Amino acid sequence: MLKFHLDYATDFMNAYKHRGFFGFLFLNHYSHDTHENLEWCDEDLLNFLINFDQEKSISNNTILIFMADHGPRFSNFRKSLKGFLRERNPFFSIYIPSLFKERYGEEIYSKFLSNTNKLLTPFDIHRTFLDFISLEKARSLSNLNDSRSISLFDEIDPNRTCKQAGIDLIW
């Protein structure tokens, strides 16, 4: 079933690669309630990523994001301290092609890279999406300025606390 979804995503990218596109594929079915069969997805996902990388007409012009809103929320493992912490730690990975650096400059790209392994929130990701749109339309970062979000194209303090990021203590 995952192959069907990934083939759809590939067909979608191929159909719109010369016009620009935004796609969102929500694949929670494979791991939301259990992780026992998740390894069945490995080969299909690996093949998708290999094909994505090899299809330069797509990978040279596409920002690809993989994310999860939380870690595992099931089994007795969740009752342990390690399980408690993993449940509250989402996954976020982003691929930005080299064309991005060429088009928008080394400074913006370097700031993005410097924010690896820093505390982020969904608000920061939203702000970054707004910057993607603004960069494409106006060749500049958005002028949105709020106290709750920081774009990944701005410097994020490596010592940012949950309180500073607006994250409740329970998380």
Side-chain angles (χ1 to χ4, degrees):
M1 184 135 141
L2 177 64
K3 184 172 178 351
F4 171 80
H5 287 111
L6 296 175
D7 285 348
Y8 177 83
T10 300
D11 291 345
F12 179 83
M13 288 187 291
N14 277 312
Y16 291 98
K17 65 184 172 187
H18 298 298
R19 290 188 261 172
F21 61 88
F22 177 88
F24 185 85
L25 201 57
F26 192 67
L27 302 173
N28 73 330
H29 173 77
Y30 304 100
S31 64
H32 197 263
D33 296 322
T34 181
H35 64 272
E36 293 183 21
N37 301 326
L38 192 55
E39 67 191 59
W40 296 352
C41 299
D42 289 350
E43 188 175 334
D44 291 334
L45 187 55
L46 177 62
N47 288 333
F48 171 79
L49 293 171
I50 289 170
N51 291 334
F52 174 83
D53 182 57
Q54 291 175 346
E55 182 56 59
K56 298 302 180 192
S57 65
I58 295 176
S59 62
N60 285 345
N61 299 300
T62 302
I63 296 168
L64 184 66
I65 300 170
F66 280 91
M67 62 185 181
D69 60 345
H70 55 77
R73 302 181 310 156
F74 40 80
S75 80
N76 286 331
F77 175 73
R78 182 178 171 207
K79 295 176 184 174
S80 69
L81 177 59
K82 191 174 182 180
F84 175 82
L85 294 173
R86 283 185 61 194
E87 175 193 10
R88 286 158 171 75
N89 281 295
F91 173 80
F92 186 81
S93 179
I94 185 169
Y95 163 81
I96 294 184
S98 59
L99 177 65
F100 183 91
K101 180 171 51 173
E102 295 168 23
R103 186 177 287 172
Y104 305 116
E106 179 70 38
E107 182 181 352
I108 290 174
Y109 186 74
S110 293
K111 283 183 182 178
F112 171 79
L113 291 178
S114 76
N115 288 321
T116 301
N117 295 323
K118 293 185 180 175
L119 179 63
L120 304 176
T121 72
F123 295 104
D124 301 329
I125 304 310
H126 177 261
R127 172 79 181 273
T128 304
F129 286 169
L130 293 175
D131 276 345
F132 282 138
I133 294 166
S134 184
L135 283 167
E136 187 62 26
K137 289 186 172 193
R139 296 282 194 248
S140 64
L141 298 173
S142 71
N143 58 7
L144 173 69
N145 188 8
D146 64 25
S147 60
R148 190 149 190 199
S149 67
I150 303 172
S151 170
L152 298 183
F153 300 118
D154 290 325
E155 194 68 38
I156 296 177
D157 183 345
N159 298 313
R160 185 183 193 192
T161 66
C162 289
K163 184 176 181 178
Q164 291 168 329
I167 301 170
D168 291 338
L169 187 59
I170 190 170
W171 303 111

